[in-house]
Amino acid sequence: TWLTLARGLAIAVVAGFATIASPKGASAWAPGLLYALAAIGDGADGALARRTRVSRVGARLDVTTDAVGLFVAPLAGVRWGRLPPWYLALAGAYPLFRLALFARRALGLPTFADRLAPDPRARFFAGVQMTVVAAALFPVLPAALTWTAATLAMLPTLALFAREWQVATSSAAHGGARAQRLDA
């Protein structure tokens, strides 16, 4: 939990940077470095969690920290022209997914969250997104490279979200198959 809180602090500082114009000089390196440390910390946090007993609060905090990081860091990247504007579709995918499921339940529409199971691809794709975003926040890479990498990296992740949405909201049994949960 302490490692997750430290990651959250680094992400909060990146969020602060997202409110200003592209930093110059030595401070231009801070957002990329802080977000890279948060992403590396996520890997260490996950490895530690797999070796120890994890509380429900700690697990939820980890998922939320990842989601917040993959929301605010891309905002900075888009604002500074280092990520394409359409990358915000991925930045908003997880919070919109959760909000839409909540809204469906509140409206009495069916949801089938019991069909969702942890997806091992989720960890891989989250790592890819964190790597792409961290790299884009460093001021040395050309925008053409970061825009292309971000676009290519986001497509399979959005496809996984679309599949998860279909399984969680469709009354069809999908051949009895269970979807893979993306927040695993």
Side-chain angles (χ1 to χ4, degrees):
T1 301
W2 286 105
L3 183 53
T4 303
L5 291 173
R7 291 177 41 238
L9 178 61
I11 290 167
V13 175
V14 173
F17 271 101
T19 66
I20 63 171
S22 185
K24 305 291 183 221
S27 65
W29 292 85
L33 180 60
L34 287 167
Y35 190 69
L37 289 172
I40 292 166
D42 182 46
D45 195 8
L48 183 61
R50 286 185 289 280
R51 289 189 188 106
T52 61
R53 182 179 159 103
V54 179
S55 71
R56 290 177 59 101
V57 171
R60 198 75 185 131
L61 181 62
D62 179 62
V63 170
T64 302
T65 301
D66 293 347
V68 170
L70 281 171
F71 185 77
V72 300
L75 284 175
V78 168
R79 177 150 196 236
W80 302 333
R82 296 180 189 156
L83 289 171
W86 52 86
Y87 195 81
L88 295 179
L90 182 65
Y94 181 76
L96 288 173
F97 181 86
R98 302 301 300 173
L99 181 63
L101 282 179
F102 175 80
R104 282 183 64 90
R105 284 190 296 270
L107 293 170
L109 297 171
T111 59
F112 305 96
D114 59 314
R115 293 184 190 162
L116 302 176
D119 187 342
R121 297 172 296 180
R123 185 176 302 126
F124 171 77
F125 282 118
V128 168
Q129 300 311 323
M130 289 178 188
T131 301
V132 167
V133 171
L137 292 180
F138 284 105
V140 295
L141 297 176
L145 175 64
T146 59
W147 281 43
T148 302
T151 301
L152 293 174
M154 72 182 267
L155 296 175
T157 305
L158 288 176
L160 286 174
F161 272 109
R163 181 174 183 277
E164 184 174 273
W165 178 258
Q166 180 184 21
V167 171
T169 61
S170 173
S171 61
H174 297 287
R178 293 170 59 94
Q180 302 296 315
R181 218 176 60 228
L182 294 175
D183 66 350

